[in-house]
Amino acid sequence: MMVPMPRPTIDDVQAALGRIEPFVHRTPVARCRAIDAWAGRQVHLKCENLQKVGAFKARGAMNAVLLLDDAAAARGVVTHSSGNHAQALAWAARERSVAAHIVMPTNAPAVKRRAVEEYGGIVHDCEPNLESRLARCAEIAATTGGTVIPPYDDDRIIAGQGTMAIELLMQVPDIDAVVVPVGGGGMISGVATVMKALSPDVRVVGAEPRLADDAARSLRSGRIEPHRGDPTATMADGLRTTLGERTFPIIHDLVDEIVLVDEDQIRDALRMVLERTKLVIEPSAAVGVATLGTESLRSLDADRVGVVLCGGNLDLGSLPRLLGTS
Amino acid sequence: MMVPMPRPTIDDVQAALGRIEPFVHRTPVARCRAIDAWAGRQVHLKCENLQKVGAFKARGAMNAVLLLDDAAAARGVVTHSSGNHAQALAWAARERSVAAHIVMPTNAPAVKRRAVEEYGGIVHDCEPNLESRLARCAEIAATTGGTVIPPYDDDRIIAGQGTMAIELLMQVPDIDAVVVPVGGGGMISGVATVMKALSPDVRVVGAEPRLADDAARSLRSGRIEPHRGDPTATMADGLRTTLGERTFPIIHDLVDEIVLVDEDQIRDALRMVLERTKLVIEPSAAVGVATLGTESLRSLDADRVGVVLCGGNLDLGSLPRLLGTS
């Protein structure tokens, strides 16, 4: 018989918030009349695009770095990522004067590599495949004695991401539902943990691109499903990962539903947010907003809906392609 | 002997603030560590890009509309503009259930025309030249008995725009200087009126594209100067107008200096704000930020500088051209 591992609790998230508060922003909640009118309800945008490093990933990374004891901290941290987690970990490590080793594939965009280096991270090359990434990561961890901090499938990370939900409940106490984009599931695991503990009537809705719908299928089948097609087909580059061993059971038990959106809905939402709220978001954040136009959300009895704008690291050069104007 | 006309006073601006407060946003002041580091000082960004209709123009237009007596209000308002003032006046008029007649040249972008119509404005065509615009405007005013509300050369407008400076002083009481983009001069006239009355040590700096440097030359010559070249050469499309009879004397007496910036400086500032603050701004707002990199500002003894992000109505389709990436 399998003994279920303990999961992060609301106490872990509360502790994480106290721990990271001196370092991260309590991000504002934005309103926009045009989006309210389109959605037919009050929409409260939790602006993690205005978070440190431009994404919610700063929360989990900071929590994980601060949880290291001094001896571990002296040996540094290690991860493999070419996305926001890489920048977040480099930033968090520097805040504690800890070395951050970031394994990146040789074909990662130069701008991503430069961003990590600007935050003081040490970039290590690997071949552009998962085996090489994992091997290089393990090799560096073995050499340095550093602690591996994965991007989402980690209780320290889940608890850190959940802190945004405590803030949201303080900022909008009478919220009826919250929409959270789902990639590896670290963010929605943390948010659902908070909501079901502090305000269990709040409906927790995952938002996923139809072209990377592994979480929706995993909830239906009851186990972690791989991608069906090529997940890089979705413009939401932050949501191309599949659920993990730590995040899946939490999502399975606590998330009310996963809503899928098509690429044209993501594109329209991206344009609407840029034009109407004057906030820069990345495509993954537009996925959450896009769900507001779906039948699932339209038929939901919820006057006040929170939507996490999970990141703002938009590649401006790709905007014409994303908006279909090039 | 010419008797100088009275100018808008701090009392007029205070009254305007009380008048428009129920309708406009008290816009936030944003900070950004990367911009502080680049500028070498604290930079406080007054976010008029988050104002109603996406630009500070909502303030002056609302003030002018609210100052109409009931009989005048019943006859409507009239202006000629294809920019933010057109949208602002249409919006303000609708807030008071007043008809807004907006004269626009036949070659104005369809998106501008649609925006005015979405705010309930009635668009009237004219030929794309100043004579036709003025003639059509006068004709409509005569026909309707409506009140003409010009975009900047008007005391009601100047007092309305000045309200942002009262807010800024409340939000950052120990500010040392404020940078304000200059087109027709309505905004900087209002801001300077407030600063020199309430906090006279605050240096008031105008920001102007070198390709539309009429205000800088007007201050030197002591009279309103026309453009030297083609003002449409600057990407800062909101700053292509020249000073007016009402704004010039105020600017002449109260503004400390006008700083010029080149197009590449505007472009770099636009990119920096989009990438680092995650705020959408239009090129005219980037002109103010760009001055922070000039020798004039670098040599200024000012720990805390306010910069007005005057608008956020960026044409996303033009971004690659603006950033030089197309």
Side-chain angles (χ1 to χ4, degrees), chain B residues 118-194:
Chain B
E118 278 175 14
Y119 287 116
I122 304 155
V123 175
H124 300 268
D125 288 330
C126 70
E127 296 302 309
N129 60 65
L130 186 59
E131 294 69 34
S132 172
R133 284 166 72 146
L134 292 174
R136 190 90 176 94
C137 201
E139 178 192 329
I140 292 163
T143 307
T144 61
T147 303
V148 176
I149 314 271
Y152 55 87
D153 207 27
D154 181 289
D155 289 359
R156 301 162 294 186
I157 297 290
I158 293 168
Q161 320 302 33
T163 58
M164 73 175 73
I166 298 177
E167 292 177 8
L168 182 59
L169 283 177
M170 289 190 285
Q171 292 166 313
V172 193
D174 51 359
I175 202 165
D176 299 304
V178 60
V179 178
V180 186
V182 179
M187 178 164 52
I188 199 168
S189 297
V191 169
T193 298
V194 169

Side-chain angles (χ1 to χ4, degrees), chain A residues 257-305:
Chain A
E257 68 177 313
I258 307 264
V259 174
L260 301 178
V261 291
D262 296 314
E263 296 299 300
D264 59 343
Q265 294 173 299
I266 302 171
R267 185 174 59 235
D268 290 349
L270 178 61
R271 175 183 286 280
M272 182 170 58
V273 171
L274 291 169
E275 288 186 345
R276 294 310 189 104
T277 71
K278 313 301 179 189
L279 290 168
V280 175
I281 60 168
E282 55 191 81
S284 302
V287 171
V289 176
T291 66
L292 297 171
T294 63
E295 189 46 46
S296 301
L297 267 282
R298 295 232 173 248
S299 61
L300 189 69
D301 180 24
D303 293 335
R304 278 162 293 275
V305 176

Side-chain angles (χ1 to χ4, degrees), chain A residues 204-215:
Chain A
V204 179
V205 179
E208 206 173 28
R210 195 178 302 279
L211 291 178
D213 65 346
D214 59 291

Side-chain angles (χ1 to χ4, degrees), chain A residues 33 49 52 278 280 312-313 320, chain B residues 33 52 278 280 312-313 320:
Chain A
R33 196 182 290 199
N49 60 325
K52 291 285 181 184
K278 313 301 179 189
V280 175
N313 292 328
Chain B
R33 195 181 291 199
K52 292 284 181 184
K278 314 300 179 190
V280 176
N313 293 328

Side-chain angles (χ1 to χ4, degrees), chain A residues 217-241:
Chain A
R217 287 183 293 106
S218 299
L219 282 205
R220 279 203 300 277
S221 74
R223 57 176 189 194
I224 301 172
E225 296 287 347
H227 287 299
R228 285 190 297 194
D230 173 12
T232 67
T234 177
M235 71 174 80
D237 53 341
L239 308 181
R240 291 168 180 168
T241 42

